[in-house]
Amino acid sequence: SPAAGKGQALYNYGVEYGIDPAFALAFFLHESEFGTTGVARVTLSLGNLRCIPGRNCLNTNDGGYAIMNSWEDGFEQWYKLIRNLYVAKWGLVTVDQIIPVYAPSSDHNDVAGYIAALKHIIDTWHAGILRP
């Protein structure tokens, strides 16, 4: 992963924002194989976040993706989004509640598949198994 060596930052932000870092890692794995595929290689975004204030935007004709300042910045922006918008504002607190909004079928996502993949990854890691 191009984000190798950044795990402590990902963990620390999880603690700071009150979100289990395993969830962030699961999103990172599912969205971009830990930054090795897709737009994350350019945007440094663990969750392929859409354009946000204060960040440049890539592919604006395709909905756009926020370009982060660093992997650490990408981690923090993801945690902020989940905590401040999904949890605090909308009251969405589970994978089942978050994914249909985060990765809707209207964006050509397999919502049920995404939910199942995240749950499998998270359950595997919580069981102490390193490879999902």
Side-chain angles (χ1 to χ4, degrees), residues 53-93:
R55 299 295 177 283
N56 289 328
C57 195
L58 178 71
N59 297 336
T60 54
N61 61 338
D62 188 28
Y65 295 94
I67 300 173
M68 304 304 167
N69 298 320
S70 65
W71 283 111
E72 293 90 339
D73 179 47
F75 301 161
E76 185 174 24
Q77 296 307 314
W78 184 87
Y79 280 115
K80 281 182 180 179
L81 175 74
I82 298 299
R83 186 199 64 192
N84 296 343
L85 187 60
Y86 286 80
V87 175
K89 186 173 182 180
W90 294 337
L92 307 175
V93 296

Side-chain angles (χ1 to χ4, degrees), residues 27-110:
F27 274 83
F28 198 17
L29 174 59
H30 188 79
E31 287 284 334
S32 69
E33 304 262 334
F34 300 121
T36 62
T37 64
V39 71
R41 294 175 296 168
V42 175
T43 64
L44 309 180
S45 177
L46 83 81
N48 291 332
L49 300 187
R50 295 295 186 167
C51 299
I52 57 175
R55 299 295 177 283
N56 289 328
C57 195
L58 178 71
N59 297 336
T60 54
N61 61 338
D62 188 28
Y65 295 94
I67 300 173
M68 304 304 167
N69 298 320
S70 65
W71 283 111
E72 293 90 339
D73 179 47
F75 301 161
E76 185 174 24
Q77 296 307 314
W78 184 87
Y79 280 115
K80 281 182 180 179
L81 175 74
I82 298 299
R83 186 199 64 192
N84 296 343
L85 187 60
Y86 286 80
V87 175
K89 186 173 182 180
W90 294 337
L92 307 175
V93 296
T94 67
V95 169
D96 292 287
Q97 295 170 331
I98 291 171
I99 294 304
V101 179
Y102 186 94
S105 58
S106 61
D107 282 352
H108 310 290
N109 290 296
D110 173 3

Side-chain angles (χ1 to χ4, degrees), residues 8-22 24 75 78-79:
Q8 190 63 55
L10 188 135
Y11 176 83
N12 290 346
Y13 284 126
V15 171
E16 179 180 339
Y17 288 93
I19 297 170
D20 182 346
F75 301 161
W78 184 87
Y79 280 115

